[in-house]
Amino acid sequence: MTTTNAQSWWQQNVHTALAEHDWSFTHVRDRIDLGAWQAFTRDLPRDPYVDRRWKRMSWLALDEQGRMKSLGECPMAQGGQYNDAESMADKLRWYPALEQDFLDRPDVRAFVEAWAGLWGLDANEPILMQITGVKGSGELDPLQGQGIHADGCRYLSIMVLDRHNVSGAESVLYADRAGQELLADQVMEPGDVLHLRDDRLFHGAKALRQEDPNQPYERFIIIINSSFVDGFQNRMLRRYFPEAVIHEHIA
């Protein structure tokens, strides 16, 4: 996929909103087979670091022709300045890779290539893609202690993949980490996407509740981000992907 085609993959208002406000809500329901993507939530392994969460992740990049490729294994590493949760901050976290059948899907490849094109990424810049989520009963903080936060990167997008028997869990966006300047407060449905400049804004999610107390709930999302400003993560990327493009001025 060329950069021009990748840019046109998104609705035009996305580019305008990002240029003017550093964030945009959009959807991809007309671009992907959402039901087929949702099927990949069924075999997610439990997150060994965070209770009541399930997760897979893979490190990806574009090749010289602008096509998605897999980079291999590297841990997730978030420094304490970007993650307040004791179960996650300043730890190397290893997760199983996204299933190859998922990564081989043409609409998944098109999504990743278009996402990289949206932000103007070059070949060999690491991209982290995750499928993660929660399920169970009762009220739950979907962020599990992270609160209002940034992920330690420049470019971040969050897509709701599946949402069943859930009320609440509104996605919130702020201009400040203290949460004094609210920019958006919105329930995202499956197929909805929030794009944001993570190095300029802060995000979070409100508490999640069961609609029917007699049935379990689940909420799964895709997180995709790149151009890391977290020095802890960049050190790991250099160690595991020595050929990758890491921006030294933001390390």
Side-chain angles (χ1 to χ4, degrees), residues 1-233:
M1 179 179 289
T2 65
T3 300
T4 301
N5 290 337
Q7 291 282 1
S8 64
W9 200 86
W10 304 99
Q11 298 168 335
Q12 184 56 43
N13 66 308
V14 170
H15 308 282
T16 303
L18 287 174
E20 294 180 355
H21 309 300
D22 295 325
W23 63 276
S24 173
F25 279 111
T26 187
H27 71 86
V28 294
R29 284 181 289 274
D30 57 342
R31 296 288 191 178
I32 68 171
D33 185 339
L34 185 58
W37 286 34
Q38 289 170 340
F40 288 94
T41 66
R42 295 170 191 158
D43 295 324
L44 285 180
R46 282 182 174 270
D47 187 321
Y49 308 96
V50 183
D51 188 33
R52 296 171 68 186
R53 191 165 77 176
W54 284 254
K55 184 173 184 139
R56 287 183 182 272
M57 71 174 215
S58 287
W59 289 99
L60 311 170
L62 299 182
D63 65 16
E64 299 295 341
Q65 287 72 47
R67 294 188 295 261
M68 188 196 89
K69 66 178 181 178
S70 295
L71 291 179
E73 287 193 333
C74 174
M76 176 181 282
Q78 288 181 313
Q81 71 269 42
Y82 295 105
N83 194 325
D84 292 335
E86 291 185 6
S87 60
M88 295 177 262
D90 298 316
K91 292 179 171 63
L92 296 180
R93 290 183 283 150
W94 295 91
Y95 295 99
L98 297 170
E99 294 176 81
Q100 194 60 46
D101 286 349
F102 176 75
L103 294 175
D104 287 341
R105 290 187 55 84
D107 55 354
V108 172
R109 301 180 70 88
F111 173 84
V112 173
E113 291 164 8
W115 185 86
L118 176 67
W119 299 110
L121 298 185
D122 293 324
N124 298 312
E125 293 190 51
I127 298 168
L128 179 59
M129 187 176 190
Q130 309 170 52
I131 298 179
T132 183
V134 294
K135 53 185 176 180
S137 60
E139 187 170 291
L140 178 71
D141 169 12
L143 297 177
Q144 310 253 320
Q146 293 181 76
I148 300 170
H149 68 287
D151 281 15
C153 61
R154 282 183 167 177
Y155 312 126
L156 170 68
S157 298
I158 301 164
M159 170 186 156
V160 172
L161 186 55
D162 204 358
R163 178 185 170 104
H164 176 69
N165 196 34
V166 167
S167 63
E170 297 92 339
S171 297
V172 287
L173 192 63
Y174 298 92
D176 64 314
R177 190 167 188 174
Q180 299 299 306
E181 189 174 345
L182 179 68
L183 302 175
D185 182 338
Q186 182 168 322
V187 172
M188 292 174 61
E189 299 295 339
D192 288 345
V193 180
L194 169 61
H195 298 300
L196 66 139
R197 283 289 304 256
D198 185 71
D199 59 336
R200 299 177 182 177
L201 303 173
F202 299 86
H203 63 281
K206 294 183 178 178
L208 175 156
R209 299 174 298 278
Q210 289 172 272
E211 288 187 335
D212 180 351
N214 298 312
Q215 299 293 328
Y217 64 73
E218 60 181 45
R219 180 178 182 269
F220 291 100
I221 61 175
I222 283 179
I223 304 172
I224 182 168
N225 58 333
S226 187
S227 195
F228 293 87
V229 299
D230 186 336
F232 186 26
Q233 184 66 80

